[in-house]
Amino acid sequence: RNDPIVSITGDSIICKYNGTTLSASGGKNYYWNTGATTSQIHVVPLSNQNYSVYTRDSAGCYSDTTSITIQVVTPQQIQITGDQNICRGDTTVLSVNNNSYSYNWNTGDTTSSILVHPPSATIYSALAMDPTNGCIATDTAIVSVNSGVNNGQICVYYIPNCTPFLVLVAKYSSGNYYLWSTGQTSTSIEVPAVPGTYSLTISNHDGCEEKHLSVTIDASICGCNAPNISGSGTICLGGSTTLTANNFANPQPIGYIW
């Protein structure tokens, strides 16, 4: 009587993290080098691995050992790139770094780059297949959306000292960075009490410029109305006249310089 002959079937080349089922035939009982004693084993090797088995038939005869080497292919990794920290209302382009792969995004897109316009923080994932071996690589990106600044206003305060000036103060519900048209970056600035227009951009800590404010200073705000001069504008040679300065600004001036 001849000894049994055992054979192994199954994939000999697999992608990393994928598994394969190896099946042995030709006998009754099977003894794998993994310790298994079934005719089939499922293995998930992370590197090239050898698996062997021998069998015993119903007559108690043993076969020689047969082996198979599983080659493990590591797919080239992909990486999603692009601006993943955007301001509310903005868009961003997410791209993967290997144009030879075929792609499937969780958005349904199948291109290597996608344009997204998330209303809030959103997860984007890409699944890529290497056409040379069918191995799959994946990557995930979270695009954060920053809400920025809101409900801002500029308040104006008149300071009537010897040299009157104005204090402009930014009132806000949120915001971290300030840039005035004067170049100053504080929440409040002092400016001369003369008519003019000042603008302010408030940005949050993520750099989202969401509030552009401006204020126009006129004579009624800054208390800098020009005085009215009354008196005769025409006199005879050698004559005289009295000129009177009247200023109805609030507050009233404390003196006049002719």
Side-chain angles (χ1 to χ4, degrees):
R1 178 180 175 82
N2 295 326
D3 291 336
I5 299 176
V6 65
S7 60
I8 301 174
T9 57
D11 295 328
S12 59
I13 300 177
I14 63 171
C15 300
K16 192 172 184 178
Y17 304 115
N18 288 355
T20 185
T21 298
L22 302 179
S23 300
S25 61
K28 180 180 180 182
N29 302 110
Y30 300 92
Y31 307 92
W32 295 87
N33 62 340
T34 62
T37 56
T38 54
S39 61
Q40 290 186 334
I41 60 172
H42 186 78
V43 295
V44 188
L46 299 181
S47 59
N48 294 351
Q49 187 70 44
N50 181 268
Y51 296 93
S52 60
V53 65
Y54 64 91
T55 186
R56 184 181 68 173
D57 62 15
S58 57
C61 298
Y62 289 89
S63 69
D64 291 331
T65 298
T66 298
S67 64
I68 184 175
T69 298
I70 305 297
Q71 180 183 350
V72 178
V73 177
T74 301
Q76 181 179 343
Q77 296 300 302
I78 64 169
Q79 182 179 9
I80 298 176
T81 59
D83 191 355
Q84 297 175 27
N85 191 13
I86 65 174
C87 299
R88 183 175 56 193
D90 287 351
T91 61
T92 185
V93 175
L94 301 179
S95 303
V96 283
N97 58 346
N98 193 320
N99 292 328
S100 65
Y101 282 15
S102 58
Y103 295 96
N104 282 285
W105 294 81
N106 61 339
T107 59
D109 294 284
T110 57
T111 54
S112 59
S113 296
I114 60 173
L115 177 68
V116 296
H117 181 206
S120 57
T122 303
I123 298 175
Y124 295 93
S125 60
L127 183 149
M129 184 178 71
D130 186 339
T132 62
N133 52 39
C135 290
I136 302 297
T138 62
D139 194 26
T140 298
I142 301 176
V143 177
S144 299
V145 179
N146 303 300
S147 59
V149 179
N150 51 57
N151 300 329
Q153 60 178 327
I154 298 175
C155 293
V156 180
Y157 300 93
Y158 177 74
I159 309 299
N161 62 3
C162 294
T163 304
F165 63 94
L166 303 174
V167 176
L168 308 184
V169 180
K171 299 292 185 179
Y172 57 93
S173 61
S174 62
N176 300 83
Y177 299 106
Y178 306 86
L179 179 61
W180 296 85
S181 53
T182 61
Q184 294 164 279
T185 56
S186 56
T187 57
S188 63
I189 62 172
E190 296 180 4
V191 297
V194 296
T197 298
Y198 298 91
S199 60
L200 168 66
T201 297
I202 305 177
S203 306
N204 71 357
H205 66 281
D206 296 300
C208 295
E209 294 185 359
E210 269 210 23
K211 192 55 88 170
H212 300 273
L213 309 174
S214 66
V215 62
T216 298
I217 308 299
D218 59 26
S220 65
I221 296 178
C222 67
C224 51
N225 289 323
N228 298 315
I229 300 177
S230 61
S232 177
T234 303
I235 62 173
C236 296
L237 181 66
S240 64
T241 187
T242 299
L243 301 178
T244 302
N246 297 299
N247 189 306
F248 301 100
N250 184 21
Q252 289 289 329
I254 60 175
Y256 298 88
I257 299 175
W258 292 87

